Amino acid sequence: MSSRAIATLVKIMESLPETLQDRVVEHLREYIEDLRDEEQWNLSFQNTQQSLIVAAKRAKQEISEGKAQPLDIEQL
């Protein structure tokens, strides 16, 4: 974020009553934490995507070869 954007945000925040500032800060904290979680999920997914592709191909092959059996939920 550029210094200009931060300065604009600070000016907007300063124009609000303190109670609203506190609410905005809490919302921003939650939003930023959500963004961090989403980024972590995306990185994890990227790191495992190739493994998932290999597993899906193997499953398709086993199905086509008749080696796969339907999942019996009662046996879980």
Side-chain angles (χ1 to χ4, degrees):
M1 185 180 277
S2 70
S3 297
R4 176 182 269 175
I6 292 171
T8 300
L9 183 57
V10 168
K11 286 181 183 181
I12 292 169
M13 291 290 291
E14 288 174 341
S15 71
L16 298 173
E18 191 172 330
T19 56
L20 288 179
Q21 289 178 15
D22 292 340
R23 288 175 56 193
V24 169
V25 167
E26 185 57 34
H27 284 291
L28 285 173
R29 279 189 188 127
E30 291 173 6
Y31 181 68
I32 290 169
E33 189 59 34
D34 287 345
L35 289 175
R36 287 180 177 158
D37 287 346
E38 186 175 326
E39 181 63 21
Q40 183 61 41
W41 169 256
N42 288 337
L43 289 173
S44 295
F45 184 74
Q46 287 174 3
N47 292 336
T48 60
Q49 191 170 16
Q50 190 59 40
S51 298
L52 293 171
I53 291 169
V54 169
K57 286 181 180 179
R58 188 176 71 231
K60 282 183 176 183
Q61 181 179 355
E62 289 178 4
I63 290 169
S64 69
E65 294 173 355
K67 296 178 181 178
Q69 296 179 6
L71 177 64
D72 183 358
I73 296 177
E74 297 299 322
Q75 290 183 353
L76 294 178

